[in-house]
Amino acid sequence: MSRTVHTFCRYCLASCGVEVTVEDNRVTKISADKRNPHSWHDFCAKGRTAAQLVEHPRRILNPMRRVGDEYVEAGWDEAIADIATRMNAAIDAGGPDAVGVYYGNPAGFSSSNIVFMNGWLDAVGTHSRYAVGSIDQNAMHVVAQAMYGSILMAPVSDIDNCDYFLLVGTNPAVSAWNWLETVPGGWRRALARQARGATIVVVDPVRTESAAKADVHVAVRPGQDWALLLAMVAVILGEGLEHRQDCAELVDSMEGLRALVVDVDIDDLADRCDVPRDRIESVARDFATARAAMVVTRTGLSMHLTGTVAEWLGHVLNVITGRMDRPGGRRYEPGYVDAIRMSGMVKATPHRNRLSGREMVAGAHALSELPDEITTPGPGQIRALLLNCGNPVVSGPDGARLDEALSQLDLLVAIDFVQRESHRHAHWLLPAVHWLERDDLLAFTSNMHDEPYLHFGARTVEPPPGARQEWRIFVDLALAMGKPLFRAKGLNAFITATRRVARVTRRPQLEFSPAWIDRLVVATGRKFNGRRIRWREVLAHPHGWVLGPREFGHFREALRTPDKVVRLAPPEFVARARELLAEPAPAAPAGYPFQLANRRHRHSMNSWLNDLPGLHPSGKGSEVVLHPYDAAPLGIADGDRVTVHSPVGAIELTAAVSDQPRPGVVIIDHGWGSRVFDPRGGSAPVGFGVNRNLLVDAEEVDPLSQTPALNSAYVAVTRV
Ligand SMILES: Nc1nc2c(c(=O)[nH]1)N[C@H]1C(S)=C(S)[C@@H](COP(=O)(O)OP(=O)(O)OC[C@H]3O[C@@H](n4cnc5c(=O)[nH]c(N)nc54)[C@H](O)[C@@H]3O)O[C@H]1N2
Ligand SMILES: Nc1nc2c(c(=O)[nH]1)N[C@H]1C(S)=C(S)[C@@H](COP(=O)(O)OP(=O)(O)OC[C@H]3O[C@@H](n4cnc5c(=O)[nH]c(N)nc54)[C@H](O)[C@@H]3O)O[C@H]1N2
Ligand code: SF4
Ligand SMILES: [Mo]
C-alpha cells in the first residue's frame, strides 16, 4: 500500500519541502511539495533522486570491520566495544588529544549529529577537532565574530525588495542561494526583481550561468576580490556616498576604516584585481546610491589566502551604505530558537595546535593541519580518528598527503553510507542513516531562513536495521569508554537508566533521545503572536510553517559586541589588509602560469552524489576548461588530453576550450575523483572524474580563516 509523507530535503541549506511516496518501506517517488509555503519554488534532481543513495548497491548495511585487506560484517556491540577499547588505549598512551574527529558538511543537516559529537568530544576531552569550516565558511565565522560578536550572526538576504544585487564569488543559478542562509528560490526571485528593473552584478573570474544572466559581469582576477572591494569602499567614502546615520550610530570604528582607506591608491587596487578603474567606480556609485541593495559574498571569494579580508570588506560595504536591517538589504532573522544565545552558553576552551600554534576557528582546527598532527610523534599525536560525514581527501587540499597520513593511524573509523576515498584505510565502517530515514528539526539554523519558518523533517521510511544515527553512536561510545557525555555528571547513568526502563516497559519512547531536546528548544523558544509554539502545532504543519512576517529591527539587538555596535574595522583585519597592500602586485610563480577556478554542478553535492546512476553521464568531472587565448600557444585543442600540474600534484584530463574563464584562469570541477569501494561484495572500486584538489597546496593558508587557496591555486597545463 502506498502512502505520502511530507518532509524536507537535507542535502543543502535550501531545505526544499518534498512530497515522498512510500510503498512497503521503499521510497518510490520524490517531488517538490507544492503546498510548502516557504520553499515550493525550489527543488532539484538531487532531491528527486535521493532514494538512489538510500538504495545504493554498495551501501554499508551493518558495521564492517577490516580484516587484512577485506571487510567483514559485525554487530554493533562488537563495533562499539572494539572502538572504545582502542580509543581508550590511545588515550592511555598519548592523552585525550590522541583521539580526533573530522566532521564534514552533512553533519550540520542533522538536528542531533553535531550536538552529540561535541558531547562525546567533551567527554573524551580532546582538542583534536577538525572540521569542514577551513574548506568552506570559516571566513564568514571569523568576520561575524569580529564585527558582530558571534560566529553565528549571519545576515539573510531580503531579495524581494532589492534593486541592486552585487554577487561576489557565488553562482546561485547552480548552487542555490545558500551559505549560512536559506533563501528558497533565491536566484529565481532575484531574476524576478531584475525583470522589474533591478540590477544584478556578478563578480566572478568565470562567465557562469549566473554571470551570463547578470546586467554586469566583473571578471575579477581570482583571490583579488579584497582589492576590488577595498577600492569600492575608497570610492564610496571618497565621494561621501556613505549612509551618514548608520556610519555615525551603528558602527564603532569609522576612523579605523577611513585611516586604512585614506592611503590606498585606487589605480593600484584596480591593477591587482584587474578590473578597470572606471568600472569599479561606476559599480561602487550605483551600489551606494541604489534605493535598496545588498552585497552577497560566498565561497568563490573566501577560499583564498586573502579570503577573510575580502569577506570583511563585503560586510563593510553593506554596513556603510545602510544596507543592514533595511528592506532590500541584509537583515537578521531571530528564528524560533536563539542559536546565538545558546552557542554562548557553550564554553569552548581556546586551544592552540601543538605544531602550527594556530588557534581554533569556530571550535575546530584546520583540515590542512591534520596530516602532520597524525604523522608527527610526540604528546598529542592523533592515533585514532573518526570521520563523521566527510570526504576530506577529495574535498580538502593536498588529499594525497592526507590519504598517506590516514593510512598510518592505529584506528580510523568512518560513519557514512558508502565507503568513499577518505575511508579506504578505515578499520571500521559504520553505517549511517539517511535523512529520508530520520526525523530532524533544524532548530539551531532557524535564524538562517529568510523568514520565520519552522519545519519538522519527518522520516519517510525506516532505516536498514543495521544502520544507526550518529548521535546514538556517540552516546554508545561515551558509555563504552566510560567518559561522561558533555562532561555532565550523572548524564551517562541517566541515559543508561532510561534505556533500561524502555526495555523493561517495552516503551522505546521512554529511552532518552534527541527528540526530547527538539521538544525542549521549541517549548522554550521565541514567542510568536504572544505565545510559545506547542509541539502538536509543529506536527500539525507537515508542509512547513511560516510563523509570521519578515521583520526588521532585530539586527541591533542580536549584536553580541560589548556596546551593541558593529565593529567596523577590527584591527586584525586592518593589519592583514595593510599586509596585502604591501605585497607586490599578484603574479604567477615561475612555471605555473594559470589559476585554478572551481565549478559545481546542479546535480552533484561536493564530493558525493557524483556516483549516482542517472544523475551523471560519464566524462563529467574530467575536463579542464581553458580560454582560447591560453590554449592556442600551448597547442591545445578541444578534446586533447592534457596534464594539469602544480608543485604538489599532477592530474590528467581532457581539455575543453571556451571563453567562459577569463584568460589566465582554468576551471576544473571540485568533488570528483572519489572512488566508491565495495566492502561487502569485494568488486573493484568505481570512480568518476579526477580530484582537482590534489593540486592544491595545504601549507599556505589565509592566516585569519586558515583556508587554503582552493579556488586560486597556481597550476600549469601541458599537452600529453
Ligand atoms: N576546490 C574546491 N574544494 C572545495 C570547494 C570548492 O568550492 N572548491 N567547496 C568546499 C565546500 S563549500 C565544502 S562544504 C566541502 C565539503 O567537504 P566535506 O563535507 O568533507 O565532504 P563532502 O564532499 O561534502 O562529503 C560528505 C560525506 O558525508 C556523507 N554523508 C552525507 N550525508 C550523511 C549523513 O547524514 N551521515 C553521514 N554519516 N554521512 C553522510 C557523504 O556520503 C560523503 O561521503 O568541500 C569543499 N571543497
Ligand atoms: N548543486 C550544488 N549546490 C550546492 C553545492 C554543491 O556542491 N552542488 N554545495 C553547497 C555548499 S556546501 C555551499 S558552501 C554552497 C556554495 O555556494 P557558492 O559559493 O555560490 O558556490 P559556487 O557555485 O561554487 O560559486 C562560487 C563561484 O565563485 C567563483 N570564483 C572562484 N574564484 C573566485 C574569486 O577569486 N573571486 C570571485 N569573485 N569568484 C570566484 C567560481 O567561478 C564560482 O562560480 O553551495 C551549496 N549548494
Ligand atoms: S539538494 Fe536540491 S532539492 Fe535538496 S534542498 Fe538542495 S536545492 Fe532543494
Ligand atoms: Mo560548503
PDB file of all heavy atoms in Angstrom, residues 102 104-106 135-136 389 391 395 415-417 420 432 438 470 598 600 606-608 670 692-693 711, ligand 1:
ATOM      1  N   TYR A 102      37.138  14.363  12.313  1.00  0.00           N
ATOM      2  CA  TYR A 102      36.893  15.334  11.235  1.00  0.00           C
ATOM      3  C   TYR A 102      35.421  15.233  10.905  1.00  0.00           C
ATOM      4  O   TYR A 102      34.902  14.125  10.683  1.00  0.00           O
ATOM      5  CB  TYR A 102      37.724  15.039   9.971  1.00  0.00           C
ATOM      6  CG  TYR A 102      37.239  15.887   8.789  1.00  0.00           C
ATOM      7  CD1 TYR A 102      37.663  17.199   8.639  1.00  0.00           C
ATOM      8  CD2 TYR A 102      36.318  15.386   7.865  1.00  0.00           C
ATOM      9  CE1 TYR A 102      37.178  18.001   7.592  1.00  0.00           C
ATOM     10  CE2 TYR A 102      35.838  16.172   6.818  1.00  0.00           C
ATOM     11  CZ  TYR A 102      36.269  17.484   6.694  1.00  0.00           C
ATOM     12  OH  TYR A 102      35.791  18.269   5.672  1.00  0.00           O
ATOM     13  N   GLY A 104      32.278  16.700   8.395  1.00  0.00           N
ATOM     14  CA  GLY A 104      32.038  17.380   7.131  1.00  0.00           C
ATOM     15  C   GLY A 104      30.688  18.063   7.105  1.00  0.00           C
ATOM     16  O   GLY A 104      29.936  18.082   8.091  1.00  0.00           O
ATOM     17  N   ASN A 105      30.402  18.608   5.947  1.00  0.00           N
ATOM     18  CA  ASN A 105      29.230  19.443   5.741  1.00  0.00           C
ATOM     19  C   ASN A 105      27.896  18.788   6.145  1.00  0.00           C
ATOM     20  O   ASN A 105      27.098  19.404   6.845  1.00  0.00           O
ATOM     21  CB  ASN A 105      29.254  19.819   4.248  1.00  0.00           C
ATOM     22  CG  ASN A 105      28.278  20.883   3.884  1.00  0.00           C
ATOM     23  OD1 ASN A 105      28.212  21.907   4.540  1.00  0.00           O
ATOM     24  ND2 ASN A 105      27.527  20.641   2.848  1.00  0.00           N
ATOM     25  N   PRO A 106      27.621  17.521   5.760  1.00  0.00           N
ATOM     26  CA  PRO A 106      26.293  16.968   6.079  1.00  0.00           C
ATOM     27  C   PRO A 106      26.029  16.848   7.574  1.00  0.00           C
ATOM     28  O   PRO A 106      24.867  16.724   7.973  1.00  0.00           O
ATOM     29  CB  PRO A 106      26.311  15.583   5.413  1.00  0.00           C
ATOM     30  CG  PRO A 106      27.351  15.689   4.339  1.00  0.00           C
ATOM     31  CD  PRO A 106      28.394  16.602   4.891  1.00  0.00           C
ATOM     32  N   ILE A 135      37.610  24.549   4.855  1.00  0.00           N
ATOM     33  CA  ILE A 135      37.488  24.444   3.397  1.00  0.00           C
ATOM     34  C   ILE A 135      36.098  24.917   2.969  1.00  0.00           C
ATOM     35  O   ILE A 135      35.570  24.520   1.940  1.00  0.00           O
ATOM     36  CB  ILE A 135      37.776  23.012   2.873  1.00  0.00           C
ATOM     37  CG1 ILE A 135      36.915  21.972   3.602  1.00  0.00           C
ATOM     38  CG2 ILE A 135      39.241  22.678   3.044  1.00  0.00           C
ATOM     39  CD1 ILE A 135      36.909  20.608   2.923  1.00  0.00           C
ATOM     40  N   ASP A 136      35.522  25.785   3.787  1.00  0.00           N
ATOM     41  CA  ASP A 136      34.182  26.284   3.456  1.00  0.00           C
ATOM     42  C   ASP A 136      33.995  27.670   4.066  1.00  0.00           C
ATOM     43  O   ASP A 136      34.498  28.666   3.545  1.00  0.00           O
ATOM     44  CB  ASP A 136      33.124  25.274   3.953  1.00  0.00           C
ATOM     45  CG  ASP A 136      31.702  25.616   3.511  1.00  0.00           C
ATOM     46  OD1 ASP A 136      31.544  26.560   2.734  1.00  0.00           O
ATOM     47  OD2 ASP A 136      30.766  24.939   3.952  1.00  0.00           O
ATOM     48  N   CYS A 389      30.656  12.109   8.427  1.00  0.00           N
ATOM     49  CA  CYS A 389      30.085  12.813   7.268  1.00  0.00           C
ATOM     50  C   CYS A 389      31.138  13.589   6.494  1.00  0.00           C
ATOM     51  O   CYS A 389      30.918  14.760   6.168  1.00  0.00           O
ATOM     52  CB  CYS A 389      29.027  13.832   7.661  1.00  0.00           C
ATOM     53  SG  CYS A 389      27.650  13.281   8.600  1.00  0.00           S
ATOM     54  N   ASN A 391      34.525  13.694   3.499  1.00  0.00           N
ATOM     55  CA  ASN A 391      35.373  13.072   2.485  1.00  0.00           C
ATOM     56  C   ASN A 391      36.548  14.007   2.213  1.00  0.00           C
ATOM     57  O   ASN A 391      36.741  14.479   1.098  1.00  0.00           O
ATOM     58  CB  ASN A 391      34.540  12.825   1.218  1.00  0.00           C
ATOM     59  CG  ASN A 391      35.218  11.873   0.267  1.00  0.00           C
ATOM     60  OD1 ASN A 391      36.251  11.275   0.591  1.00  0.00           O
ATOM     61  ND2 ASN A 391      34.657  11.750  -0.922  1.00  0.00           N
ATOM     62  N   SER A 395      37.603  16.558  -0.831  1.00  0.00           N
ATOM     63  CA  SER A 395      37.084  17.918  -0.711  1.00  0.00           C
ATOM     64  C   SER A 395      38.130  18.912  -0.228  1.00  0.00           C
ATOM     65  O   SER A 395      37.994  20.110  -0.444  1.00  0.00           O
ATOM     66  CB  SER A 395      35.893  17.945   0.253  1.00  0.00           C
ATOM     67  OG  SER A 395      34.824  17.272  -0.325  1.00  0.00           O
ATOM     68  N   ILE A 415      31.897   7.040   9.585  1.00  0.00           N
ATOM     69  CA  ILE A 415      30.435   6.885   9.601  1.00  0.00           C
ATOM     70  C   ILE A 415      29.927   7.459   8.289  1.00  0.00           C
ATOM     71  O   ILE A 415      30.105   8.648   8.018  1.00  0.00           O
ATOM     72  CB  ILE A 415      29.774   7.659  10.764  1.00  0.00           C
ATOM     73  CG1 ILE A 415      30.513   7.426  12.079  1.00  0.00           C
ATOM     74  CG2 ILE A 415      28.302   7.285  10.890  1.00  0.00           C
ATOM     75  CD1 ILE A 415      29.934   8.226  13.260  1.00  0.00           C
ATOM     76  N   ASP A 416      29.334   6.630   7.446  1.00  0.00           N
ATOM     77  CA  ASP A 416      28.893   7.102   6.126  1.00  0.00           C
ATOM     78  C   ASP A 416      27.945   6.074   5.527  1.00  0.00           C
ATOM     79  O   ASP A 416      27.659   5.049   6.134  1.00  0.00           O
ATOM     80  CB  ASP A 416      30.115   7.326   5.205  1.00  0.00           C
ATOM     81  CG  ASP A 416      29.896   8.469   4.220  1.00  0.00           C
ATOM     82  OD1 ASP A 416      28.905   8.425   3.472  1.00  0.00           O
ATOM     83  OD2 ASP A 416      30.725   9.394   4.188  1.00  0.00           O
ATOM     84  N   PHE A 417      27.457   6.369   4.319  1.00  0.00           N
ATOM     85  CA  PHE A 417      26.566   5.404   3.634  1.00  0.00           C
ATOM     86  C   PHE A 417      27.374   4.388   2.840  1.00  0.00           C
ATOM     87  O   PHE A 417      27.026   3.235   2.751  1.00  0.00           O
ATOM     88  CB  PHE A 417      25.634   6.126   2.653  1.00  0.00           C
ATOM     89  CG  PHE A 417      24.873   7.242   3.266  1.00  0.00           C
ATOM     90  CD1 PHE A 417      24.974   8.526   2.764  1.00  0.00           C
ATOM     91  CD2 PHE A 417      24.060   7.013   4.360  1.00  0.00           C
ATOM     92  CE1 PHE A 417      24.272   9.565   3.334  1.00  0.00           C
ATOM     93  CE2 PHE A 417      23.350   8.047   4.942  1.00  0.00           C
ATOM     94  CZ  PHE A 417      23.458   9.334   4.430  1.00  0.00           C
ATOM     95  N   ARG A 420      33.906   5.715   0.775  1.00  0.00           N
ATOM     96  CA  ARG A 420      34.481   6.609  -0.229  1.00  0.00           C
ATOM     97  C   ARG A 420      35.992   6.719  -0.063  1.00  0.00           C
ATOM     98  O   ARG A 420      36.578   6.157   0.848  1.00  0.00           O
ATOM     99  CB  ARG A 420      33.848   7.990  -0.115  1.00  0.00           C
ATOM    100  CG  ARG A 420      32.377   8.017  -0.484  1.00  0.00           C
ATOM    101  CD  ARG A 420      31.852   9.446  -0.592  1.00  0.00           C
ATOM    102  NE  ARG A 420      30.411   9.477  -0.371  1.00  0.00           N
ATOM    103  CZ  ARG A 420      29.505   9.193  -1.307  1.00  0.00           C
ATOM    104  NH1 ARG A 420      29.883   8.887  -2.534  1.00  0.00           N
ATOM    105  NH2 ARG A 420      28.217   9.216  -1.028  1.00  0.00           N
ATOM    106  N   ALA A 432      25.488   4.797   8.289  1.00  0.00           N
ATOM    107  CA  ALA A 432      24.714   5.965   8.710  1.00  0.00           C
ATOM    108  C   ALA A 432      23.266   5.858   8.252  1.00  0.00           C
ATOM    109  O   ALA A 432      22.909   5.036   7.412  1.00  0.00           O
ATOM    110  CB  ALA A 432      25.345   7.228   8.138  1.00  0.00           C
ATOM    111  N   ARG A 438      15.232   9.539   8.846  1.00  0.00           N
ATOM    112  CA  ARG A 438      15.317  10.048  10.223  1.00  0.00           C
ATOM    113  C   ARG A 438      14.528  11.344  10.385  1.00  0.00           C
ATOM    114  O   ARG A 438      14.300  12.070   9.417  1.00  0.00           O
ATOM    115  CB  ARG A 438      16.786  10.244  10.648  1.00  0.00           C
ATOM    116  CG  ARG A 438      17.509  11.276   9.845  1.00  0.00           C
ATOM    117  CD  ARG A 438      18.906  11.618  10.374  1.00  0.00           C
ATOM    118  NE  ARG A 438      19.292  12.879   9.780  1.00  0.00           N
ATOM    119  CZ  ARG A 438      20.334  13.057   8.967  1.00  0.00           C
ATOM    120  NH1 ARG A 438      21.149  12.067   8.692  1.00  0.00           N
ATOM    121  NH2 ARG A 438      20.571  14.242   8.447  1.00  0.00           N
ATOM    122  N   GLU A 470      24.100   9.078  14.055  1.00  0.00           N
ATOM    123  CA  GLU A 470      25.372   9.463  14.651  1.00  0.00           C
ATOM    124  C   GLU A 470      25.234   9.708  16.151  1.00  0.00           C
ATOM    125  O   GLU A 470      26.096   9.308  16.929  1.00  0.00           O
ATOM    126  CB  GLU A 470      25.935  10.712  13.972  1.00  0.00           C
ATOM    127  CG  GLU A 470      26.335  10.520  12.510  1.00  0.00           C
ATOM    128  CD  GLU A 470      25.168  10.630  11.549  1.00  0.00           C
ATOM    129  OE1 GLU A 470      24.028  10.870  12.013  1.00  0.00           O
ATOM    130  OE2 GLU A 470      25.371  10.463  10.334  1.00  0.00           O
ATOM    131  N   ASN A 598      36.968  26.995  -9.885  1.00  0.00           N
ATOM    132  CA  ASN A 598      36.183  25.851  -9.474  1.00  0.00           C
ATOM    133  C   ASN A 598      34.806  25.885 -10.120  1.00  0.00           C
ATOM    134  O   ASN A 598      34.356  26.915 -10.571  1.00  0.00           O
ATOM    135  CB  ASN A 598      36.036  25.947  -7.953  1.00  0.00           C
ATOM    136  CG  ASN A 598      35.133  24.878  -7.440  1.00  0.00           C
ATOM    137  OD1 ASN A 598      35.407  23.724  -7.665  1.00  0.00           O
ATOM    138  ND2 ASN A 598      34.054  25.264  -6.788  1.00  0.00           N
ATOM    139  N   ARG A 600      30.728  23.984  -9.639  1.00  0.00           N
ATOM    140  CA  ARG A 600      29.802  22.979  -9.099  1.00  0.00           C
ATOM    141  C   ARG A 600      28.784  22.640 -10.165  1.00  0.00           C
ATOM    142  O   ARG A 600      28.577  23.413 -11.095  1.00  0.00           O
ATOM    143  CB  ARG A 600      29.036  23.529  -7.894  1.00  0.00           C
ATOM    144  CG  ARG A 600      29.858  23.695  -6.662  1.00  0.00           C
ATOM    145  CD  ARG A 600      29.073  24.391  -5.551  1.00  0.00           C
ATOM    146  NE  ARG A 600      29.992  25.151  -4.749  1.00  0.00           N
ATOM    147  CZ  ARG A 600      30.570  24.695  -3.633  1.00  0.00           C
ATOM    148  NH1 ARG A 600      30.272  23.502  -3.169  1.00  0.00           N
ATOM    149  NH2 ARG A 600      31.444  25.436  -2.983  1.00  0.00           N
ATOM    150  N   ASN A 606      29.189  18.621  -3.589  1.00  0.00           N
ATOM    151  CA  ASN A 606      30.600  18.476  -3.249  1.00  0.00           C
ATOM    152  C   ASN A 606      31.123  17.138  -3.775  1.00  0.00           C
ATOM    153  O   ASN A 606      31.007  16.888  -4.963  1.00  0.00           O
ATOM    154  CB  ASN A 606      30.809  18.703  -1.749  1.00  0.00           C
ATOM    155  CG  ASN A 606      30.510  20.166  -1.393  1.00  0.00           C
ATOM    156  OD1 ASN A 606      30.935  21.062  -2.102  1.00  0.00           O
ATOM    157  ND2 ASN A 606      29.778  20.413  -0.327  1.00  0.00           N
ATOM    158  N   SER A 607      31.632  16.257  -2.900  1.00  0.00           N
ATOM    159  CA  SER A 607      32.251  15.038  -3.444  1.00  0.00           C
ATOM    160  C   SER A 607      31.301  13.850  -3.456  1.00  0.00           C
ATOM    161  O   SER A 607      31.737  12.722  -3.597  1.00  0.00           O
ATOM    162  CB  SER A 607      33.486  14.685  -2.633  1.00  0.00           C
ATOM    163  OG  SER A 607      33.091  14.063  -1.434  1.00  0.00           O
ATOM    164  N   TRP A 608      30.011  14.090  -3.296  1.00  0.00           N
ATOM    165  CA  TRP A 608      29.117  12.918  -3.310  1.00  0.00           C
ATOM    166  C   TRP A 608      27.949  13.150  -4.255  1.00  0.00           C
ATOM    167  O   TRP A 608      27.829  14.226  -4.825  1.00  0.00           O
ATOM    168  CB  TRP A 608      28.688  12.530  -1.900  1.00  0.00           C
ATOM    169  CG  TRP A 608      28.123  13.592  -1.027  1.00  0.00           C
ATOM    170  CD1 TRP A 608      28.734  14.760  -0.681  1.00  0.00           C
ATOM    171  CD2 TRP A 608      26.869  13.591  -0.362  1.00  0.00           C
ATOM    172  NE1 TRP A 608      27.934  15.468   0.161  1.00  0.00           N
ATOM    173  CE2 TRP A 608      26.781  14.779   0.379  1.00  0.00           C
ATOM    174  CE3 TRP A 608      25.812  12.687  -0.308  1.00  0.00           C
ATOM    175  CZ2 TRP A 608      25.668  15.101   1.166  1.00  0.00           C
ATOM    176  CZ3 TRP A 608      24.710  12.999   0.475  1.00  0.00           C
ATOM    177  CH2 TRP A 608      24.647  14.195   1.203  1.00  0.00           C
ATOM    178  N   HIS A 670      35.268  20.688  -8.696  1.00  0.00           N
ATOM    179  CA  HIS A 670      35.766  20.017  -7.489  1.00  0.00           C
ATOM    180  C   HIS A 670      34.805  18.912  -7.078  1.00  0.00           C
ATOM    181  O   HIS A 670      33.635  18.919  -7.466  1.00  0.00           O
ATOM    182  CB  HIS A 670      35.991  21.015  -6.350  1.00  0.00           C
ATOM    183  CG  HIS A 670      34.805  21.189  -5.443  1.00  0.00           C
ATOM    184  ND1 HIS A 670      33.797  22.058  -5.735  1.00  0.00           N
ATOM    185  CD2 HIS A 670      34.465  20.604  -4.268  1.00  0.00           C
ATOM    186  CE1 HIS A 670      32.891  22.000  -4.779  1.00  0.00           C
ATOM    187  NE2 HIS A 670      33.252  21.139  -3.886  1.00  0.00           N
ATOM    188  N   ARG A 692      40.656  17.389  -8.460  1.00  0.00           N
ATOM    189  CA  ARG A 692      41.474  18.562  -8.763  1.00  0.00           C
ATOM    190  C   ARG A 692      42.106  19.147  -7.509  1.00  0.00           C
ATOM    191  O   ARG A 692      43.084  19.898  -7.578  1.00  0.00           O
ATOM    192  CB  ARG A 692      40.683  19.631  -9.523  1.00  0.00           C
ATOM    193  CG  ARG A 692      39.378  20.081  -8.948  1.00  0.00           C
ATOM    194  CD  ARG A 692      39.492  21.171  -7.923  1.00  0.00           C
ATOM    195  NE  ARG A 692      39.507  22.515  -8.470  1.00  0.00           N
ATOM    196  CZ  ARG A 692      39.933  23.566  -7.779  1.00  0.00           C
ATOM    197  NH1 ARG A 692      40.343  23.432  -6.526  1.00  0.00           N
ATOM    198  NH2 ARG A 692      39.914  24.752  -8.318  1.00  0.00           N
ATOM    199  N   ASN A 693      41.592  18.777  -6.341  1.00  0.00           N
ATOM    200  CA  ASN A 693      42.179  19.324  -5.118  1.00  0.00           C
ATOM    201  C   ASN A 693      43.538  18.714  -4.792  1.00  0.00           C
ATOM    202  O   ASN A 693      44.239  19.197  -3.906  1.00  0.00           O
ATOM    203  CB  ASN A 693      41.216  19.155  -3.938  1.00  0.00           C
ATOM    204  CG  ASN A 693      40.096  20.192  -3.975  1.00  0.00           C
ATOM    205  OD1 ASN A 693      40.118  21.107  -4.793  1.00  0.00           O
ATOM    206  ND2 ASN A 693      39.125  20.052  -3.094  1.00  0.00           N
ATOM    207  N   ASN A 711      40.484  27.817  -4.474  1.00  0.00           N
ATOM    208  CA  ASN A 711      39.959  28.315  -5.741  1.00  0.00           C
ATOM    209  C   ASN A 711      40.843  29.371  -6.399  1.00  0.00           C
ATOM    210  O   ASN A 711      40.344  30.221  -7.143  1.00  0.00           O
ATOM    211  CB  ASN A 711      38.529  28.826  -5.541  1.00  0.00           C
ATOM    212  CG  ASN A 711      37.559  27.685  -5.234  1.00  0.00           C
ATOM    213  OD1 ASN A 711      37.862  26.524  -5.476  1.00  0.00           O
ATOM    214  ND2 ASN A 711      36.410  28.004  -4.697  1.00  0.00           N
TER     215      ASN A 711
HETATM  216  N1  LIG B   1      38.414  23.244  -4.760  1.00  0.00           N
HETATM  217  C1  LIG B   1      37.317  23.314  -4.016  1.00  0.00           C
HETATM  218  N2  LIG B   1      37.142  22.460  -2.999  1.00  0.00           N
HETATM  219  C2  LIG B   1      36.051  22.548  -2.236  1.00  0.00           C
HETATM  220  C3  LIG B   1      35.064  23.515  -2.501  1.00  0.00           C
HETATM  221  C4  LIG B   1      35.273  24.413  -3.576  1.00  0.00           C
HETATM  222  O1  LIG B   1      34.458  25.328  -3.848  1.00  0.00           O
HETATM  223  N3  LIG B   1      36.412  24.272  -4.301  1.00  0.00           N
HETATM  224  N4  LIG B   1      33.939  23.572  -1.711  1.00  0.00           N
HETATM  225  C5  LIG B   1      34.079  23.182  -0.348  1.00  0.00           C
HETATM  226  C6  LIG B   1      32.830  23.150   0.385  1.00  0.00           C
HETATM  227  S1  LIG B   1      31.810  24.512   0.236  1.00  0.00           S
HETATM  228  C7  LIG B   1      32.517  22.145   1.226  1.00  0.00           C
HETATM  229  S2  LIG B   1      31.110  22.274   2.205  1.00  0.00           S
HETATM  230  C8  LIG B   1      33.410  20.963   1.360  1.00  0.00           C
HETATM  231  C9  LIG B   1      32.714  19.649   1.684  1.00  0.00           C
HETATM  232  O2  LIG B   1      33.620  18.818   2.284  1.00  0.00           O
HETATM  233  P1  LIG B   1      33.181  17.529   3.157  1.00  0.00           P
HETATM  234  O3  LIG B   1      31.983  17.844   3.961  1.00  0.00           O
HETATM  235  O4  LIG B   1      34.355  16.961   3.856  1.00  0.00           O
HETATM  236  O5  LIG B   1      32.882  16.490   2.051  1.00  0.00           O
HETATM  237  P2  LIG B   1      31.642  16.118   1.220  1.00  0.00           P
HETATM  238  O6  LIG B   1      32.133  16.006  -0.136  1.00  0.00           O
HETATM  239  O7  LIG B   1      30.508  17.036   1.475  1.00  0.00           O
HETATM  240  O8  LIG B   1      31.336  14.654   1.753  1.00  0.00           O
HETATM  241  C10 LIG B   1      30.349  14.402   2.665  1.00  0.00           C
HETATM  242  C11 LIG B   1      30.325  12.926   3.051  1.00  0.00           C
HETATM  243  O9  LIG B   1      29.284  12.757   4.011  1.00  0.00           O
HETATM  244  C12 LIG B   1      28.481  11.637   3.641  1.00  0.00           C
HETATM  245  N5  LIG B   1      27.140  11.872   4.178  1.00  0.00           N
HETATM  246  C13 LIG B   1      26.112  12.525   3.632  1.00  0.00           C
HETATM  247  N6  LIG B   1      25.054  12.575   4.468  1.00  0.00           N
HETATM  248  C14 LIG B   1      25.440  11.931   5.582  1.00  0.00           C
HETATM  249  C15 LIG B   1      24.794  11.636   6.817  1.00  0.00           C
HETATM  250  O10 LIG B   1      23.661  12.006   7.070  1.00  0.00           O
HETATM  251  N7  LIG B   1      25.516  10.943   7.746  1.00  0.00           N
HETATM  252  C16 LIG B   1      26.792  10.529   7.498  1.00  0.00           C
HETATM  253  N8  LIG B   1      27.435   9.890   8.475  1.00  0.00           N
HETATM  254  N9  LIG B   1      27.420  10.779   6.338  1.00  0.00           N
HETATM  255  C17 LIG B   1      26.752  11.467   5.403  1.00  0.00           C
HETATM  256  C18 LIG B   1      28.575  11.573   2.143  1.00  0.00           C
HETATM  257  O11 LIG B   1      28.286  10.252   1.705  1.00  0.00           O
HETATM  258  C19 LIG B   1      30.028  11.998   1.891  1.00  0.00           C
HETATM  259  O12 LIG B   1      30.885  10.896   1.953  1.00  0.00           O
HETATM  260  O13 LIG B   1      34.177  20.809   0.175  1.00  0.00           O
HETATM  261  C20 LIG B   1      34.945  21.952  -0.105  1.00  0.00           C
HETATM  262  N10 LIG B   1      35.877  21.699  -1.187  1.00  0.00           N
END
